[in-house]
Amino acid sequence: MTTLFTTAAVRNAVELLASRSLIRLVTEIDDNGAIPPRRLAGILPDLSSHQLRRTTEAARAHGLVRTAPGAGLELTDAGSELADLYDAAARWGRRNAYPGPVCEFSNRVRHVLDLLAPSLAAERADGLPRPSAARLPSTEAEADLARPRALLIQWLAGNPQVTRVSEPEPVV
């Protein structure tokens, strides 16, 4: 497998995708359908209005959600595929008690994405992914991680807008 992404691109993508508020928004819509804009704060009461606004703006900007007339905020195809990636990451984490036996869904997904990030950004000369600094429960767990890794690579390749690193604003 060749590396498709720079370290900065992976860092940018994982920072966005591992956002607790984005995970919550995407999985809520995936599990329960479109959310009317005025009900968003009631459905995700643990997120501040500022967090909700920033998250929905980022999700729209990256093509993960759209507003459907009469229905509200719904997932795009990219958003639905991201929800599938989140589910696969969480299943791997639960099966392997990573990062611990008991963990909130969004935290588990964030930890698994953080675990996957180093192997996406750089490869060794022999073509094998760089080992992660995090300790995995077993070699079976490492092998089992191949599916979430493949899903993440596929999702990132299909959604390059998420890996773009924005240029810093010039200081005037």
Side-chain angles (χ1 to χ4, degrees):
M1 171 178 81
T2 58
T3 301
L4 301 173
F5 315 104
T6 66
T7 301
V10 169
R11 188 175 335 129
N12 189 59
V14 169
E15 185 176 313
L16 171 72
L17 300 180
S19 157
R20 180 179 179 276
S21 54
L22 183 66
I23 294 168
R24 298 262 296 122
L25 177 67
V26 167
T27 55
E28 182 64 36
I29 296 171
D30 184 54
D31 290 347
N32 299 303
I35 301 174
R38 297 204 182 272
R39 302 228 20 242
L40 198 56
I43 291 173
L44 299 169
D46 56 320
L47 301 177
S48 71
S49 59
H50 177 72
Q51 286 175 308
L52 287 171
R53 186 174 53 258
R54 284 189 56 204
T55 300
T56 55
E57 288 171 1
R60 279 190 183 104
H62 289 93
L64 305 176
V65 299
R66 64 178 164 247
T67 303
L73 210 55
E74 68 179 11
L75 295 177
T76 61
D77 289 341
S80 292
E81 292 166 4
L82 180 58
D84 293 341
L85 170 62
Y86 286 161
D87 286 340
R91 273 192 306 276
W92 180 89
R94 277 191 307 275
R95 198 171 29 254
N96 294 287
Y98 187 83
V102 177
C103 188
E104 180 191 30
F105 180 87
S106 60
N107 285 336
R108 196 175 299 280
V109 170
R110 284 186 6 227
H111 278 86
V112 173
L113 290 175
D114 287 342
L115 178 66
L116 291 171
S119 68
L120 303 181
E123 293 187 347
R124 299 187 319 214
D126 60 7
L128 297 173
R130 248 194 230 175
S132 169
R135 294 206 55 177
L136 292 174
S138 67
T139 53
E140 290 170 3
E142 173 68 28
D144 195 26
L145 193 57
R147 174 153 167 68
R149 182 181 292 116
L151 286 173
L152 179 57
I153 291 169
Q154 179 182 358
W155 193 90
L156 291 173
N159 296 280
Q161 73 278 9
V162 175
T163 60
R164 289 194 191 105
V165 179
S166 50
E167 296 294 320
E169 299 274 330
V171 178
V172 181

